[in-house]
Amino acid sequence: MTDNNKPDNSGTPQGSTPERANPQVNDGSAQPGQQAGPPPERKRGSVNFQDASTTAPREPTLAEQRARRDAQRREREAELAEYEEAERKRKLRKRVLIGAGVTVGVVAVVAVIYAAATPDEVTATCTDSNGVVVDDDYCDSSYASSHGGYSSGGFIYIGGSSYRYNYGGTGRVGQPVSGGSYTAPSGNTSVKTASGKSVQRGGLGVGGSGKSSGS
């Protein structure tokens, strides 16, 4: 036995390294001088955040795609129904206007026929040569004959004065006649004096029985 292998008083052979009691292995998870332990547990309720710039959008599912197609189809159907309703109203309004025009046209034709078949009534006013309204007797041929007068060319002559009817004019005795014409109306026009006596369309005479004498 050499001196190097001779045990010393501590019981450890010389030349060998004494082992440490309870050695600790440093695996890099603990700082020198600190005891390594298990990793910390994640707290309950915590949220993991992802980087939105690197996250790809999720593809829609089949149900989502079907729902989107159904919504688009319903929207197109609603637009088509609205268009068809607007066209229906436009055509109806056009038919109403055309019908109204036809009705107005028919009414106008009927009015013209009625006006042609129905005689108008014109008031005859007796006037002197100056256009002043006088009594209706001065335009009566019978009255003129009984007072030495006569009728000629649409005029009644009595005592050197002439008288004739104004048709459609108005005025009181002693006042100038207003409006009207001295041309006798023709056709089915009914001519009467203001007192209601009928006058011939020829222009002269007032008859008490409704008939008048002409020139």
Side-chain angles (χ1 to χ4, degrees):
M1 182 181 295
T2 63
D3 293 338
N4 292 335
N5 294 329
K6 186 190 306 184
D8 57 9
N9 295 332
S10 62
T12 302
Q14 294 180 359
S16 61
T17 303
E19 294 181 359
R20 294 180 182 179
N22 299 326
Q24 300 292 335
V25 179
N26 189 356
D27 58 358
S29 62
Q31 297 295 329
Q34 295 182 354
Q35 184 177 0
E41 295 182 358
R42 183 178 300 171
K43 295 182 180 180
R44 182 176 300 175
S46 61
V47 179
N48 292 331
F49 293 96
Q50 295 181 348
D51 189 357
S53 61
T54 59
T55 303
R58 179 180 63 83
E59 292 293 333
T61 63
L62 293 178
E64 292 174 345
Q65 295 178 5
R66 189 180 302 108
R68 184 179 302 173
R69 288 195 298 269
D70 291 342
Q72 293 175 352
R73 177 177 54 80
R74 288 193 297 270
E75 184 177 357
R76 289 194 298 269
E77 290 177 352
E79 292 177 354
L80 180 60
E82 183 177 357
Y83 173 78
E84 292 177 350
E85 180 65 16
E87 283 295 308
R88 186 187 67 81
K89 291 182 179 180
R90 184 183 64 82
K91 292 179 180 179
L92 178 61
R93 184 163 55 250
K94 184 177 180 180
R95 286 198 296 268
V96 170
L97 292 176
I98 292 175
V102 172
T103 302
V104 172
V106 172
V107 170
V109 171
V110 172
V112 170
I113 296 175
Y114 180 79
T118 304
D120 293 331
E121 184 172 306
V122 175
T123 301
T125 303
C126 187
T127 62
D128 62 11
S129 58
N130 296 320
V132 177
V133 178
V134 295
D135 192 274
D136 291 337
D137 289 340
Y138 289 96
C139 290
D140 184 358
S141 58
S142 299
Y143 177 85
S145 299
S146 63
H147 287 77
Y150 62 95
S151 62
S152 175
F155 289 86
I156 295 290
Y157 296 94
I158 301 176
S161 299
S162 62
Y163 305 93
R164 60 176 176 169
Y165 279 120
N166 175 283
Y167 301 96
T170 58
R172 296 180 179 181
V173 175
Q175 295 179 352
V177 67
S178 176
S181 172
Y182 287 100
T183 301
S186 59
N188 296 327
T189 303
S190 175
V191 181
K192 292 184 179 181
T193 64
S195 60
K197 295 181 180 181
S198 296
V199 178
Q200 277 187 340
R201 289 192 298 272
L204 296 176
V206 176
S209 62
K211 295 181 181 180
S212 59
S213 59
S215 58

